Amino acid sequence: MEQQPSAVRLLGPAEVRGLAERLEFRPTKKLGQNFVHDPNTVRRIVDTAGIDSEDVVLEVGPGIGSLTLALLGTAGAVTAVEIDSVLADRLSATVTEHAPTLAERLRVINGDALRLSAAELGGPERAPTALVANLPYNVAVPVVLRLLAELPSLRHGLVMVQAEVADRMAAGPGSRRYGAPSAKCAWFADVRRAGSVSRNVFWPVPNVDSGLVAFTRHEPPAEIDRDRVFAVVEAAFAQRRKTLRSALSGWAGSSERAERLLRAAGIDPAARGEQLHITEFAALAGLAETES
């Protein structure tokens, strides 16, 4: 009989610390290593992510394996990418100890998620369908954007990030938190805040609270090169206090051309970047490409 999620022996605070001691491992701030030690939290993450037996889950930064065990109890398979070789080497053994019948569902890759290719992450036969991860705060947005770009097979996901980063990723036009990360995420997916996570469920305890961000992939909002659109986004938010006529002058080649393109797209040149939807950034990029 297939082992059910409730039968998986999840890691508590004592077990997380005990594993670290056995490995003579000390978490580092450089890699953003803060490990969840609360079983209820990892169960909530898996439930909120909407994972089922058809999913091949990509987990970035599994660490000691708290979330990995919960994912294996529900997903069809898990590919865990861990940059720390000590933790990567230990993860399979931890799963074998706590959920022996599920160990064959796990694949561990010792590497950097910002550098791995789609082929290295599984190829067509094991292409990830969902991303579920506790991401280091300093690389959360780059990791999500790169994986969405690199892996068209990713249909949905849930990431745990610093609360402020979660707010920025999920913000919509008009919000003071809306910026380049928000607009770029919106190119790939519908993004929403999916809850909060207390700092007290981590070891070591971080200095900030965390937030959950859920996404569901959609088709790109325009048939235009993504890099061209993102170049407009970056220019608009590089000087976010300036009007778009001024902020886009370098990108367009002059303030006059920026104004002409903005008016052609039906955008007020006196508006600012935080007022534009990703479709409007795409329209600007398309007009500029047509003119060139």
Side-chain angles (χ1 to χ4, degrees), residues 184-209:
K184 290 180 179 181
C185 286
W187 173 270
F188 294 103
D190 296 317
V191 184
R192 64 180 177 84
R193 267 298 229 124
S196 299
V197 180
S198 168
R199 66 189 70 183
N200 296 322
V201 302
F202 294 93
W203 174 77
V205 179
N207 295 323
V208 295
D209 289 325

Side-chain angles (χ1 to χ4, degrees), residues 74-292:
T74 303
V78 175
T79 296
V81 178
E82 175 56 61
I83 195 170
D84 189 303
S85 60
V86 172
L87 297 179
D89 290 345
R90 172 63 198 185
L91 186 58
S92 292
T94 298
V95 169
T96 298
E97 288 176 10
H98 288 76
T101 64
L102 304 183
E104 63 181 14
R105 298 185 187 182
L106 175 67
R107 178 187 180 213
V108 181
I109 299 174
N110 180 201
D112 184 348
L114 286 171
R115 298 179 182 275
L116 293 175
S117 67
E120 291 172 300
L121 289 169
E125 71 284 354
R126 192 169 172 144
T129 61
L131 171 66
V132 183
N134 169 23
L135 293 176
Y137 300 152
N138 58 334
V139 296
V141 173
V143 164
V144 171
L145 291 175
R146 186 180 190 282
L147 293 175
L148 283 169
E150 185 73 16
L151 299 171
S153 61
L154 283 178
R155 300 192 307 261
H156 65 113
L158 184 82
V159 294
M160 181 161 54
V161 297
Q162 182 178 341
E164 182 180 344
V165 175
D167 290 339
R168 290 204 299 269
M169 291 176 69
S175 165
R176 64 186 179 86
R177 296 192 182 277
Y178 182 70
S182 324
K184 290 180 179 181
C185 286
W187 173 270
F188 294 103
D190 296 317
V191 184
R192 64 180 177 84
R193 267 298 229 124
S196 299
V197 180
S198 168
R199 66 189 70 183
N200 296 322
V201 302
F202 294 93
W203 174 77
V205 179
N207 295 323
V208 295
D209 289 325
S210 297
L212 299 176
V213 179
F215 68 84
T216 304
R217 185 187 284 272
H218 58 219
E219 291 298 315
E223 293 184 3
I224 185 171
D225 181 72
R226 181 180 66 247
D227 290 340
R228 288 180 177 271
V229 179
F230 284 8
V232 188
V233 171
E234 289 163 7
F237 288 106
Q239 304 176 78
R240 63 182 299 149
R241 293 188 178 183
K242 292 189 175 183
T243 65
L244 285 168
R245 181 184 189 276
S246 177
L248 296 180
S249 60
W251 164 78
S254 69
S255 296
E256 291 74 23
R257 183 168 183 253
E259 180 169 349
R260 185 171 72 252
L261 291 170
L262 286 160
R263 291 193 184 281
I267 300 168
D268 182 355
R272 289 176 170 77
E274 61 262 29
Q275 296 172 256
L276 299 194
H277 189 274
I278 187 61
T279 56
E280 293 172 294
F281 286 116
L284 284 169
L287 287 167
E289 184 177 26
T290 301
E291 272 197 9
S292 60

Side-chain angles (χ1 to χ4, degrees), residues 11 14-24 64 90 94:
L11 304 179
E15 289 162 306
V16 169
R17 289 172 183 262
L19 276 168
E21 288 175 6
R22 285 161 60 186
L23 293 171
E24 297 182 347
I64 296 291
R90 172 63 198 185
T94 298

